[in-house]
Amino acid sequence: MEEFSKEQVIKCLKKQWGTYVDRYNMLSAAEQQQYLARQGYVRLGDLLAHLAAWWQRGMQLIRVYQRDPGFQPPNVDVDAFNAEAVASVKNLSDAEVISHFESRRLQMLELVKSLTEVDLQSERIKSQLAIEVIEHYQEHL
C-alpha cells in the first residue's frame, strides 16, 4: 500500500468530503447534470446514498477487523449494492440524503480519530480506509 496516515484520512474526510456537497452546489445546473451523468447517477441524493452506504459497510468491517483480524468479508455484488443504496433513498429529498451523508461522514471521521496505533498497524484496516475514503474520493472527483 502506498503512503498512508491517519492524518491523511482525517484531512480527506474533513476537507475533501466535508466540502463535497458545497462544491457540487457551486456548479451551474448544466455542470451538475454533466457531473452526475459522468458519475452514473440521476440525482445528487443517489450519489450521496451510494457513498454513505459504502462508508457504513467500511465502518462495520473496520470494527470487525478490530475484534477479528482474520475475518474474511463476503464478496459483494457491487452493482446490486449500489442499486440497493439508491433504492433506499428514492422517497427522500436531496436535503434528507445530504443530512444522512453528512451523518455518515462524521461517524467515519470519529471512527478514524478513535483508531489506536495497534489498529493502524493492521493492513486490512488501512486498506479499508484507503479504499472507502481516499480512493473513493478520487473516483468521484
Side-chain angles (χ1 to χ4, degrees), residues 18-139:
T19 61
Y20 189 75
V21 173
D22 289 340
R23 285 182 285 121
Y24 172 86
N25 287 331
M26 288 192 287
L27 299 173
S28 70
E31 290 169 327
Q32 288 176 354
Q33 287 306 309
Q34 290 170 352
Y35 175 75
L36 290 172
R38 281 195 313 272
Q39 298 299 314
Y41 292 92
V42 175
R43 66 182 188 125
L44 178 63
D46 296 343
L47 173 57
L48 296 178
H50 151 85
L51 296 166
W54 283 105
W55 286 346
Q56 180 64 34
R57 180 179 183 276
M59 288 185 286
Q60 290 169 343
L61 287 174
I62 289 167
R63 289 182 188 111
V64 172
Y65 295 148
Q66 287 173 309
R67 294 187 311 272
D68 181 5
F71 175 75
Q72 292 296 321
N75 288 333
V76 174
D77 178 333
V78 173
D79 291 336
F81 184 90
N82 290 334
E84 186 178 312
V86 170
S88 74
V89 299
K90 71 180 178 186
N91 295 322
L92 300 179
S93 68
D94 278 351
E96 290 170 310
V97 181
I98 289 168
S99 178
H100 175 70
F101 166 81
E102 186 61 14
S103 174
R104 287 286 183 262
R105 183 184 71 82
L106 293 174
Q107 288 172 352
M108 179 67 92
L109 182 59
E110 289 308 309
L111 174 65
V112 173
K113 287 179 178 181
S114 76
L115 295 174
T116 66
E117 288 304 315
V118 171
D119 293 332
L120 293 170
Q121 290 174 11
S122 165
E123 290 301 318
R124 302 192 79 192
I125 290 175
K126 290 191 303 188
S127 177
Q128 199 69 48
L129 289 171
I131 290 166
E132 303 300 349
V133 178
I134 297 168
E135 294 172 17
H136 212 171
Y137 179 75
Q138 292 167 347
E139 286 177 36

